[in-house]
C-alpha cells in the first residue's frame, strides 16, 4: 500500500475543499485533496448555478480567477410564480448576484487550489478513517484501483452532504454534530436547457412551488437562451413524481418549445441548520459536509468558500502550535457561526414553519406579503415591519390571518434563536450548556408551529 504524508488531507475538490487547500498551501503547508472523480469529471456538480454574494470571495482563490465562469451578472431579483393565487411576486435580492457555468467554475476553483500549491489526487475513493484513540490521523482508500493511505496532522471533510467520512469515524466522544439524518436533507435534480429565443425573464431567478409543499421548481438563466431548470424536494418524497412535475411544467411553458437538453445531474443538499460543531480531534468538516447552506434557498457556494478559509486558517494555527484538539480548532466553529451559521439556523425555523403550515395557506400568504420584507427574511433570517405596512399587509392577507399570526409568532421565536447564536461559546467547555438552551428555544418553536421535531 502506498502511503502519502501531507500536513493536511482534504476529501473533496469542491468549493470548500479547494478554498481550504489554497489557504493552507499559500501558507507553505503540504496539502493533498483526495477527489473521487477523474480529472475530466471533477468540478461537474449538480447545482442551481445561482450565486449569492458574487462580489466577495476569499483571497486564497480571488474572484478575478473564477469570474470567467459568471455567465449572467444581470440577474437582480427573484420571480416567485404562485399559480394557486394567479400571482407573480418579484422579490429584490440584496447584494451582488450572478448565474454561473458550474462546470467551468468547478474547474477554475480546482485550478486555483493547484496554483496555490495544493496537490490533487483524482480517481481516489476513501474506504475508511484512521484514528489513534479519539484523534483522526488519516485515511485509507483506493487510488486508480490501487490501495492507498494518507497520514496527516489533520483531515478536513469536504466530501459533501451525508459524507461517508462521518459514518466511518468514531465521533461519539467529540463535540462534533452527529444529530444528522436524511430527513434534514433534500434532493435536487437539474437540467441545462437551450431554448430558441431569449427568455423575457433573463434578469430574474424564477421559482415556483410544485403541487406538494415539499417541492419547488426553478428556472435560472445562465444566458438569455441557456437555462438551468430544476427542482428541489425533501428526501421523503417520491423523486420520479416530482421530476414529472418539472417535465409537465416545461411542456406547458411556451418559451421551452423545441428546447434541447444539454446536461442532466442530481445531488443531495442539506436543508437544515449548520452543524453545532464541525470539529473533532484531528478532524474538521466544511461546506455541505457541515450543512453550510442557506436552508431556505439552497445557496451554498459563498458559505463553503468562507468555511474553507476559516478551516484552513484554524488548521494553520493548530499545526503551528502542535495541538489539533477540539480546543485548538474551536475558533473555526466560532467564525462560521459569527459569519453565517447563526443566520442560517434562524432561517431553518422558516423551513419548519413551511412544513407545518401546508401549501395552500402558505402560497396565499406569500402573495400578500411585502416583497422587500420577504427578501430580508430570506437572506438575513429576520425582518421588521412598521405599522402602516402591517395594516396594508393585514388587508391584503384577509382569509389568511391565522397563518399571518402563526408566521408572526414564528418570527419572534426565530429572532430569539438568532440572538442565542450570537452567544455561541468561545470554548468547548460551555458548549453543552449552550446547546441545552438552544434546544429549549427549539421546543418552543415546535410548539408554536405545530411541527414535528426536526432534530
Amino acid at each position: 500500500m502506498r502511503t502519502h504524508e501531507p500536513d493536511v488531507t482534504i476529501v473533496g475538490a469542491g468549493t470548500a475543499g479547494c478554498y481550504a487547500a489554497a489557504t493552507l498551501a499559500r501558507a507553505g503547508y503540504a496539502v493533498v485533496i483526495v477527489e473521487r472523480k477523474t480529472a475530466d469529471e471533477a468540478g461537474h456538480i449538480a447545482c442551481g448555478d445561482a450565486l449569492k454574494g458574487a462580489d466577495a470571495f476569499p483571497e486564497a482563490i480571488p474572484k478575478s480567477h473564477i469570474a470567467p465562469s459568471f455567465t449572467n451578472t444581470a440577474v437582480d431579483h427573484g420571480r416567485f410564480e404562485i399559480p394557486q393565487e394567479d400571482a407573480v411576486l418579484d422579490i429584490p435580492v440584496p447584494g451582488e448576484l450572478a448565474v454561473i457555468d458550474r462546470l467551468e467554475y468547478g474547474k477554475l476553483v480546482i485550478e486555483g487550489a493547484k496554483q496555490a500549491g495544493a496537490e490533487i489526487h483524482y480517481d481516489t475513493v476513501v474506504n475508511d478513517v484512521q484514528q489513534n484513540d479519539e484523534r483522526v490521523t488519516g485515511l485509507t482508500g483506493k487510488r486508480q484501483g490501487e490501495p492507498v493511505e494518507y497520514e496527516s496532522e489533520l483531515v478536513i471533510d469536504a466530501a459533501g452532504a451525508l459524507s461517508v467520512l462521518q459514518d466511518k469515524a468514531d465521533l461519539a466522544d467529540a463535540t462534533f454534530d452527529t444529530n444528522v439524518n436524511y430527513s434534514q436533507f433534500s434532493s435536487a435534480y437539474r437540467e441545462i436547457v437551450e431554448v430558441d429565443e431569449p427568455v423575457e425573464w433573463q434578469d430574474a431567478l424564477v421559482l415556483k412551488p410544485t403541487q406538494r409543499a415539499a417541492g419547488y421548481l426553478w428556472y435560472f438563466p445562465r444566458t438569455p437562451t441557456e437555462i438551468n431548470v430544476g427542482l428541489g424536494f425533501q428526501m421523503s418524497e417520491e423523486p420520479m413524481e416530482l421530476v414529472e412535475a418539472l417535465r409537465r411544467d416545461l411542456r406547458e411553458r411556451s418559451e421551452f418549445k423545441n428546447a434541447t437538453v444539454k446536461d442532466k445531474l442530481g445531488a443531495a443538499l442539506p436543508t437544515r441548520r449548520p452543524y453545532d460543531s464541525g470539529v473533532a480531534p484531528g478532524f474538521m468538516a466544511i461546506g455541505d459536509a457541515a450543512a453550510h447552506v442557506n436552508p431556505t434557498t439552497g445557496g451554498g457556494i459563498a458559505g463553503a468558500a468562507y468555511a474553507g478559509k476559516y478551516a484552513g486558517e484554524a488548521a494553520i494555527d493548530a499545526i503551528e502550535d502542535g495541538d489539533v484538539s477540539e480546543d485548538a480548532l474551536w475558533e473555526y466553529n466560532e467564525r462560521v457561526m459569527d459569519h453565517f451559521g447563526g443566520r442560517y439556523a434562524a432561517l431553518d425555523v422558516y423551513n419548519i414553519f413551511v412544513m407545518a403550515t401546508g401549501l395552500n395557506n402558505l402560497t396565499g400568504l406569500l402573495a400578500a406579503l411585502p416583497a422587500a420584507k420577504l427578501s430580508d427574511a430570506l437572506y438575513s433570517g429576520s425582518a421588521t415591519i412598521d405599522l402602516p405596512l402591517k395594516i396594508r399587509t393585514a388587508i391584503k392577507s384577509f382569509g389568511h390571518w391565522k397563518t399571518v399570526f402563526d408566521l408572526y409568532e414564528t418570527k419572534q421565536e426565530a429572532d430569539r434563536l438568532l440572538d442565542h447564536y450570537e452567544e455561541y461559546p468561545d470554548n468547548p467547555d460551555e458548549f453543552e450548556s449552550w446547546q441545552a438552551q438552544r434546544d429549549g428555544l427549539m421546543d418552543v418553536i415546535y410548539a408554536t408551529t405545530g411541527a414535528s421535531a426536526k432534530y
Side-chain angles (χ1 to χ4, degrees):
M1 178 184 292
R2 184 170 182 182
T3 299
H4 300 274
E5 298 181 351
D7 296 315
V8 179
T9 301
I10 299 173
V11 182
T15 298
C18 287
Y19 272 91
T23 300
L24 282 153
R26 288 189 184 280
Y29 289 87
V31 185
V32 171
I33 300 178
V34 174
E35 169 55 47
R36 65 181 177 82
K37 295 179 181 177
T38 65
D40 289 340
E41 295 169 336
H44 191 207
I45 296 173
C47 180
D49 294 348
L51 174 57
K52 172 73 171 63
D55 55 329
F57 273 84
E59 283 302 310
I61 305 175
K63 177 187 172 183
S64 58
H65 181 81
I66 59 176
S69 67
F70 293 16
T71 56
N72 183 356
T73 56
V75 288
D76 60 7
H77 68 284
R79 178 181 172 89
F80 282 72
E81 298 181 354
I82 309 175
Q84 294 89 337
E85 298 290 324
D86 192 26
V88 174
L89 188 63
D90 288 325
I91 297 181
V93 176
E96 188 171 336
L97 188 65
V99 183
I100 64 174
D101 180 325
R102 186 59 181 79
L103 177 57
E104 182 178 4
Y105 166 85
K107 296 294 186 185
L108 287 172
V109 292
I110 290 172
E111 180 185 304
K114 291 167 67 175
Q115 288 179 357
E119 187 176 346
I120 316 288
H121 288 189
Y122 298 106
D123 196 11
T124 304
V125 177
V126 174
N127 292 331
D128 208 351
V129 174
Q130 294 180 313
Q131 290 181 260
N132 182 2
D133 294 327
E134 295 179 3
R135 179 189 158 191
V136 173
T137 59
L139 307 164
T140 58
K142 287 192 174 182
R143 184 182 181 195
Q144 297 174 341
E146 297 297 323
V148 65
E149 179 180 46
Y150 297 86
E151 296 179 357
S152 302
E153 293 294 317
L154 274 166
V155 170
I156 297 179
D157 180 4
L162 299 168
S163 167
V164 68
L165 274 72
Q166 295 168 36
D167 292 332
K168 297 293 185 180
D170 181 3
L171 304 170
D173 294 327
T175 60
F176 192 93
D177 198 338
T178 56
N179 183 14
V180 180
N181 64 69
Y182 84 98
S183 66
Q184 301 161 1
F185 291 72
S186 291
S187 295
Y189 170 79
R190 72 97 177 103
E191 298 178 354
I192 305 302
V193 173
E194 186 76 35
V195 297
D196 292 337
E197 300 291 336
V199 295
E200 63 178 21
W201 34 265
Q202 58 195 265
D203 61 346
L205 303 177
V206 179
L207 293 158
K208 180 179 180 179
T210 63
Q211 292 300 310
R212 305 174 69 111
Y216 67 94
L217 311 178
W218 72 70
Y219 301 95
F220 295 169
R222 277 188 178 181
T223 73
T225 58
E226 187 178 81
I227 317 299
N228 181 312
V229 306
L231 76 158
F233 51 92
Q234 291 296 119
M235 283 192 167
S236 57
E237 295 295 307
E238 289 293 332
M240 294 313 299
E241 290 181 14
L242 286 159
V243 170
E244 178 53 35
L246 173 64
R247 298 196 183 284
R248 183 166 56 251
D249 205 61
L250 285 168
R251 290 193 296 267
E252 293 173 355
R253 301 179 77 105
S254 60
E255 61 263 52
F256 289 100
K257 185 179 180 180
N258 300 322
T260 301
V261 177
K262 300 172 67 176
D263 189 45
K264 301 178 182 180
L265 209 57
L269 72 156
T271 44
R272 53 155 288 154
R273 66 191 180 206
Y275 282 15
D276 289 353
S277 169
V279 304
F283 186 72
M284 285 187 280
I286 57 178
D288 281 16
H292 293 158
V293 172
N294 183 320
T296 57
T297 67
I301 292 176
Y306 276 95
K309 165 187 165 70
Y310 300 151
E313 290 174 348
I316 290 167
D317 291 343
I319 294 171
E320 286 183 354
D321 292 342
D323 179 4
V324 294
S325 66
E326 287 178 294
D327 284 50
L329 300 173
W330 194 260
E331 183 185 0
Y332 160 69
N333 282 338
E334 293 182 78
R335 296 181 74 184
V336 166
M337 292 304 183
D338 181 64
H339 185 167
F340 59 82
R343 179 164 49 94
Y344 286 1
L347 285 168
D348 186 50
V349 174
Y350 296 101
N351 272 358
I352 292 168
F353 171 79
V354 168
M355 296 305 295
T357 299
L359 182 62
N360 291 334
N361 285 333
L362 182 65
T363 54
L365 178 59
L366 285 176
L369 289 177
K373 299 304 176 182
L374 270 178
S375 177
D376 288 345
L378 280 170
Y379 292 100
S380 72
S382 184
T384 57
I385 302 179
D386 57 25
L387 180 59
L389 194 53
K390 286 178 181 176
I391 294 171
R392 293 198 299 273
T393 301
I395 294 170
K396 287 185 66 179
S397 61
F398 180 76
H400 299 282
W401 285 353
K402 184 183 184 304
T403 307
V404 171
F405 177 76
D406 291 344
L407 179 59
Y408 174 77
E409 292 287 296
T410 301
K411 176 195 176 301
Q412 299 297 106
E413 299 308 325
D415 288 350
R416 291 188 183 96
L417 187 69
L418 184 59
D419 289 342
H420 183 65
Y421 270 81
E422 291 176 357
E423 303 300 322
Y424 187 84
D426 59 9
N427 64 77
D429 293 339
E430 300 172 7
F431 181 60
E432 189 173 335
S433 174
W434 177 88
Q435 278 188 311
Q437 294 177 53
R438 189 275 319 280
D439 291 346
L441 292 171
M442 290 301 300
D443 287 341
V444 176
I445 288 167
Y446 297 136
T448 299
T449 60
S452 299
K454 186 172 182 178
Y455 303 99

